[in-house]
Amino acid sequence: MRDGTATKNKINRVAMELFAEKGVTETTTKDIAAGAGIAEGTIYRHYKSKDELVKKLFLSLYEEQGNYLHEIASADKDSKQKIADMIVNFCQLFAEDKALFTFLLLTQHGQLKEVPDDMVTPVVVLRDLIAQGQDDGTIKQGDPDLMAAMVLGVVVQPAVFHVYGRLTQDYKSFTQDLTEAAWSIVGLDE
């Protein structure tokens, strides 16, 4: 008997791409089924509803990004290099899988309230990195939550502009500018 993992993965990928392209509201389970080459009822073997699909997909992908950043934050490097590596990772992944980041960017406002307190998320990882850097004297003092929000704004807002066509260059070309802007927020005055 098959375990259905391949089918579920196909549903998730097609759903993510359609949600990123058309929006969650405008995407139907019929659209997802057609894109995945399956019967619409097959979706309901894996998810109770489209809302559950959106929620579980968001949480899974959001935690996955948090885990990527956690690996970077755990490296034996200084805070400045860790933040630079996080931004390089974000820019590269955005360029390689724009649908993933578009989905996360455009659905976060409806889904962030569903994030469990104990989940490893990009926000938590960055906030903890900033707090650790403040403790070891490599990052200037300030509210680590506010500083994390500001750094994320530096990185995420250009991605939003890119999604909506206001920025058209290869997203990886922004890496140095974004890194310098982020470090200007948290870095010690030299």
Side-chain angles (χ1 to χ4, degrees):
M1 186 163 178
R2 297 183 318 182
D3 70 2
T5 301
T7 300
K8 186 174 184 179
N9 289 340
K10 186 179 244 188
I11 291 167
N12 289 346
R13 183 69 203 183
V14 168
M16 181 189 67
E17 290 173 355
L18 288 170
F19 294 150
E21 178 186 333
K22 296 173 61 171
V24 170
T25 304
E26 293 78 16
T27 301
T28 66
T29 53
K30 286 182 185 195
D31 297 332
I32 296 165
I38 59 172
E40 186 177 6
T42 303
I43 294 170
Y44 296 104
R45 289 189 198 136
H46 300 279
Y47 299 101
K48 293 177 187 172
S49 65
K50 183 177 84 168
D51 289 341
E52 182 185 66
L53 168 58
V54 172
K55 176 184 172 182
K56 287 188 173 186
L57 185 58
F58 176 84
L59 292 175
S60 169
L61 295 170
Y62 194 58
E63 184 174 37
E64 184 179 280
Q65 297 311 308
N67 287 329
Y68 285 144
L69 294 185
H70 180 71
E71 286 178 29
I72 293 169
S74 300
D76 188 22
K77 297 180 179 179
D78 65 28
S79 298
K80 185 174 186 176
Q81 188 59 55
K82 289 177 185 181
I83 289 173
D85 289 350
M86 287 179 178
I87 293 171
V88 166
N89 181 68
F90 178 86
C91 292
Q92 183 167 341
L93 286 172
F94 183 89
E96 292 173 1
D97 196 348
K98 189 173 177 181
L100 172 108
F101 284 97
T102 301
F103 170 73
L104 289 173
L105 288 169
L106 300 182
T107 60
Q108 68 178 319
H109 301 293
Q111 298 302 317
L112 287 174
K113 66 185 177 290
E114 303 293 338
V115 174
D117 291 338
D118 62 344
M119 181 183 279
V120 176
T121 70
V123 174
V124 169
V125 172
L126 182 58
R127 185 246 178 252
D128 289 352
L129 175 61
I130 289 169
Q132 179 184 1
Q134 290 172 332
D135 289 346
D136 67 23
T138 58
I139 289 181
K140 66 183 166 189
Q141 295 300 309
D143 181 335
D145 289 308
L146 176 60
M147 293 170 83
M150 292 167 55
V151 169
L152 286 169
V154 162
V155 177
V156 171
Q157 196 58 42
V160 171
F161 271 45
H162 201 281
V163 166
Y164 288 109
R166 292 189 57 100
L167 294 172
T168 57
Q169 306 92 310
D170 177 9
Y171 201 80
K172 290 186 286 189
S173 71
F174 303 138
T175 302
Q176 183 168 343
D177 290 335
L178 297 177
T179 301
E180 289 172 7
W183 191 249
S184 73
I185 294 167
V186 300
L188 295 169
D189 296 327
E190 296 179 14

